[in-house]
Amino acid sequence: NLSWTEFAENKPPVPGRLKADLSQSALRLSRLGISPETPVVVAGYGSQSSGDEGRLAWTLIYLGVKDVQIAALESLGLTFSNLVQPPPRENAKAWQPVLVSSVLAQGKEVLKIGTTQATGRHHIIDVRTLSEYADTSTRKRGFKKPDLRAVNIPFQEFFDQKGRPNLNIVQRLQSIGIQPDHRIIVLSNNGVRSGAAAFALLSLGFK
């Protein structure tokens, strides 16, 4: 049992942000038998998910784990029980994360892409619900830049019914000028849904 929350801050000012020091996270993974070379399948609720398994998969990729997939448990056609504990997994050799910085956007980059004239090779996708996307209230913090020219595609559309990355999203993105070699920023409130959608894009060949 592993959750993306183990790798993230859970308090203000930015709940959901990755911890500053991820070396302990890598040590935790090594004790579960996971190294950068270990194939990993993250199983969860699939289409009924809130993006948790996708966010965990994205986090593992960011830490340098090379082969990560996700699936809905029900799609595997098996019945699982966690009542009988399996033998302890053999530890992997301790390792330090080699961060894949290209899959994490910084605020300055988001503002630069969102508030300068479009170049056709940089895009922002807001993967929240339509009502969240269209909300113009300032809430408590208010808007610094009201319009980032983001395209709204709810994160569920990036996955199929089996919880796997949705191949159909590739054609949809290309139809609006978003290509696999373009720079794509994915936004959500706390980085869960955006992490999941980013994982789907990486799995589908977007760089």
Side-chain angles (χ1 to χ4, degrees):
N1 181 251
L2 193 64
S3 170
W4 67 267
T5 58
E6 297 184 36
F7 305 91
E9 303 290 347
N10 59 5
K11 297 179 181 178
V14 189
R17 178 166 51 187
L18 288 168
K19 292 179 178 178
D21 180 8
L22 290 167
S23 58
Q24 290 300 311
S25 299
L27 181 61
R28 163 102 163 100
L29 291 170
S30 69
R31 289 174 176 165
L32 294 173
I34 298 173
S35 75
E37 307 302 327
T38 306
V40 177
V41 176
V42 182
Y45 288 113
S47 61
Q48 306 301 315
S49 168
S50 298
D52 297 286
E53 56 265 53
R55 167 62 192 260
L56 176 57
W58 171 86
T59 302
L60 294 174
I61 289 173
Y62 178 69
L63 288 169
V65 180
K66 297 179 177 65
D67 183 2
V68 185
Q69 301 295 322
I70 65 174
L73 276 173
E74 61 187 24
S75 74
L76 301 176
L78 301 170
T79 302
F80 294 90
S81 170
N82 294 313
L83 298 178
V84 179
Q85 292 299 314
R89 292 177 60 90
E90 183 178 344
N91 289 359
K93 184 178 178 181
W95 53 280
Q96 287 295 317
V98 179
L99 303 181
V100 182
S101 59
S102 63
V103 302
L104 180 64
Q106 302 298 326
K108 289 181 180 179
E109 182 187 10
V110 176
L111 288 175
K112 182 178 180 181
I113 291 174
T115 59
T116 56
Q117 187 172 0
T119 64
R121 295 185 61 86
H122 296 85
H123 312 273
I124 298 178
I125 302 175
D126 186 329
V127 297
R128 299 176 301 165
T129 63
L130 178 59
S131 61
E132 289 173 294
Y133 170 78
D135 186 1
T136 58
S137 66
T138 58
R139 303 187 180 229
K140 292 183 179 178
R141 288 186 285 178
F143 290 117
K144 291 183 179 179
K145 298 289 182 182
D147 186 5
L148 292 174
R149 296 183 291 103
V151 175
N152 179 229
I153 305 175
F155 94 97
Q156 292 94 336
E157 296 186 28
F158 290 82
F159 298 92
D160 63 21
Q161 289 299 310
K162 294 183 178 180
R164 303 281 299 145
N166 182 7
L167 293 171
N168 295 328
I169 200 69
V170 176
Q171 186 174 9
R172 177 172 178 187
L173 292 174
Q174 291 180 332
S175 74
I176 56 175
I178 301 177
Q179 301 295 333
D181 62 338
H182 291 178
R183 179 62 171 161
I184 303 167
I185 307 295
V186 189
L187 299 178
S188 66
N189 287 339
N190 295 314
V192 180
R193 292 172 288 180
S194 58
F199 166 76
L201 290 172
L202 291 166
S203 297
L204 293 168
F206 288 79
K207 305 301 182 187

